[in-house]
Amino acid sequence: MPRKAAVPSGSDSETVLARLHSLHPKGIDLSLDRLTVLLAKMGNPHERLPRIIHVAGTNGKGSTTAFMRAILEAAGLRVHVYSSPHLVRFHERIRIAGELIAEQELCDRLLAAEAANDGAPITFFEITSAAAFAAFADHQADITLLEVGLGGRFDTTNVIPTSAVSVITPVDLDHQEFLGNDLATIAHEKAGILRRDTPAIIGPQQPQAEAAIRAEVDRLGALALWHGQDWLSFNENGRLIFQYRNGLLDLPLPGLPGNHQLINAGAAIAALLALEDAEFPQPAIAHGLTHVNWPGRLQKLDKGALCRPLNTGSELWLDGGHNPAAGRVLAAALADMEERHPKPLFLICGMLANKDAAGFLENFQGLATAVHTVPVPGEASGLPADRLAATARKLGFQSIAHDNAATAIAIIQNERPDHDVRIVICGSLYLAGAILKQSDYIPR
């Protein structure tokens, strides 16, 4: 542990984080130079991490990382995890050897990074990443899972000199203002995490994205293992079948619902099997798949104030997907639910203003009975609920704006008192976090 920076009287991590936000309001500035300088002042902790699995992509990064953590821990290994954004508490971003970072250590690490930076220009994500790397370097673990925050090539996590395995989940359009307006450009940025002579697990890609990633694989000399060619995962008779080179695993279905999670689980298994000198007994893989925990991703809510207005047979679900590709996989999962257990579907949607609302919502045409819209609590960059409702109506949905999700839930059920309904709150991870705070969710 480094020398502790004193936490000011009455201070806590929220106070420190708020100050870092105010001191460094520029949220994203893609470069590694500032962070490299800061890490050098801190003794280069990023060079002392346990071997790293680095995960990039547009959708599925978090779920893939969650599957890997669950399997690794089922195999008895200690795992550091860095992910973003958090849903309820910032501590969720930094998991040290299996546990969320403790409040006091988070304060100490943030203050130490702030002191080392000494007022130099830095972004919030860079300085908090430096704090995370320092914490990881000073605690023993077997594996570090690093989830890219944005892009790949210039993401703060890409300051690491080496990795044991790289993973690129499906690439699609998102964050175009930073990464580019076409799939090839975005995929090129994601592929920036690849390393020479290092295994790279590549999830299913659209043709433009695949071509861009293949070009980077060839240029860098990465050891790519492609979905559909070197590994495959699918549902057969209610089991997850994973094919890898010349082997096959017959496993239980993942604990996260939706057919897209079969792909994420497969990518996780492929990445772990690609680790040099690593052995994962099939029971550990099976246990990890079924005991995975990743909130806000097609998560069923069954307690808390939001559920009280619902009939016994009604359902309330939560999903943080917020781009067109996420809308496609969510709609596919809900269509599967509808086929197996039919119920009228109602969306409660809140989104940020920089997202493709029409591209997200059009996936639910012919599936959702109505779209109720809400603001994203506490987000100045949120899309006003009335504007989102207007977008939904242009797509042919019945839509009405509400002040909050609780009101929308009560109205949906009260208008159909004798019917069970399926309600899905979606459109933003920030909205998902606000909903979880109202649902007695405790990060763990």
Side-chain angles (χ1 to χ4, degrees):
M1 289 281 292
R3 178 178 60 84
K4 287 187 176 183
V7 180
S9 177
S11 180
D12 56 20
S13 62
E14 289 190 9
T15 302
V16 179
L17 290 164
R19 184 172 71 253
L20 292 176
H21 263 301
S22 66
L23 291 174
H24 311 291
K26 188 175 181 61
I28 300 172
D29 185 5
L30 297 181
S31 168
L32 295 178
D33 296 339
R34 294 175 301 275
L35 181 57
T36 300
V37 171
L38 173 57
L39 288 169
K41 294 177 181 178
M42 298 173 66
N44 291 316
H46 63 301
E47 298 178 356
R48 296 184 282 113
L49 304 184
R51 56 181 176 166
I52 296 165
I53 300 179
H54 203 183
V55 186
T58 303
N59 293 301
K61 299 189 301 293
S63 296
T64 299
T65 300
F67 280 121
M68 286 193 289
R69 176 172 75 86
I71 295 169
L72 286 162
E73 291 179 348
L77 300 178
R78 294 165 299 178
V79 188
H80 294 331
V81 184
Y82 188 53
S83 60
S84 62
H86 63 279
L87 294 178
V88 176
R89 301 175 69 216
F90 184 90
H91 305 63
E92 298 166 49
R93 300 185 183 211
I94 305 172
R95 186 177 295 272
I96 301 174
E99 301 292 335
L100 299 184
I101 189 169
E103 169 66 11
Q104 185 63 53
E105 179 163 9
L106 178 57
C107 284
D108 292 341
R109 298 293 183 178
L110 292 170
L111 289 167
E114 184 180 17
N117 191 59
D118 195 24
I122 197 85
T123 69
F124 178 81
F125 195 64
E126 287 166 349
I127 200 165
T128 53
S129 295
F133 292 148
F136 292 154
D138 288 337
H139 289 274
Q140 289 188 340
D142 300 292
I143 296 287
T144 303
L145 303 179
L146 291 186
E147 180 190 333
V148 166
L150 178 66
R153 187 173 311 278
F154 295 111
D155 183 77
T156 63
T157 60
N158 208 33
V159 74
I160 57 171
T162 62
S163 61
V165 179
S166 304
V167 181
I168 302 180
T169 64
V171 173
D172 217 296
L173 297 176
D174 202 5
H175 300 294
Q176 290 98 311
E177 67 271 33
F178 299 106
L179 302 179
N181 290 316
D182 60 85
L183 282 176
T185 303
I186 294 173
H188 174 76
E189 291 303 312
K190 307 284 186 183
I193 70 166
L194 301 178
R195 297 291 192 270
R196 181 171 299 277
D197 297 327
T198 299
I201 307 303
I202 314 297
Q205 307 292 340
Q206 298 181 59
Q208 278 187 312
E210 180 177 326
I213 295 171
R214 285 190 181 276
E216 283 298 279
V217 165
D218 293 342
R219 185 182 73 82
L220 294 169
L223 307 177
L225 298 169
W226 297 87
H227 172 267
Q229 176 178 325
D230 301 293
W231 64 274
L232 190 63
S233 52
F234 54 92
N235 182 342
E236 185 175 274
N237 299 322
R239 301 283 291 176
L240 172 65
I241 305 302
F242 176 78
Q243 294 181 349
Y244 182 70
R245 295 177 176 172
N246 297 323
L248 182 146
L249 295 175
D250 184 349
L251 299 160
L253 292 177
L256 300 179
N259 286 332
H260 58 291
Q261 296 295 0
L262 301 175
I263 301 298
N264 296 330
I269 297 168
L272 296 182
L273 294 180
L275 282 171
E276 186 176 354
D277 301 325
E279 293 185 6
F280 296 95
Q282 186 163 331
I285 298 175
H287 187 277
L289 289 178
T290 55
H291 289 77
V292 64
N293 176 49
W294 193 230
R297 282 73 176 180
L298 201 51
Q299 176 185 2
K300 191 174 184 180
L301 303 178
D302 53 15
K303 62 181 180 179
L306 293 177
C307 295
R308 289 176 194 147
L310 296 177
N311 292 349
T312 302
S314 291
E315 300 172 4
L316 181 61
W317 295 81
L318 177 65
D319 191 90
H322 49 265
N323 55 45
R328 285 196 297 273
V329 297
L330 176 59
L334 294 173
D336 184 58
M337 286 186 194
E338 172 65 18
E339 183 176 345
R340 290 182 288 111
H341 304 290
K343 292 178 183 178
L345 172 65
F346 296 86
L347 300 186
I348 298 176
C349 188
M351 302 190 73
L352 298 185
N354 64 344
K355 299 302 179 182
D356 181 359
F360 178 82
L361 289 173
E362 66 184 5
N363 294 287
F364 304 94
Q365 290 173 323
L367 182 63
T369 300
V371 176
H372 295 249
T373 63
V374 295
V376 179
E379 287 298 321
S381 58
L383 184 64
D386 56 348
R387 284 178 50 193
L388 183 55
T391 298
R393 285 192 289 269
K394 288 180 181 178
L395 293 170
F397 294 104
Q398 297 181 24
S399 187
I400 184 171
H402 304 276
D403 292 335
N404 54 67
T407 300
I409 292 168
I411 288 174
I412 292 169
Q413 185 65 86
N414 289 341
E415 289 181 348
R416 294 159 184 82
D418 299 325
H419 293 84
D420 295 333
V421 296
R422 177 173 291 125
I423 301 173
V424 180
I425 304 173
C426 59
S428 168
L429 280 171
Y430 299 100
L431 175 61
I435 295 301
L436 287 175
K437 288 180 182 179
Q438 303 174 54
S439 303
D440 300 332
Y441 170 74
I442 300 175
R444 59 184 177 86

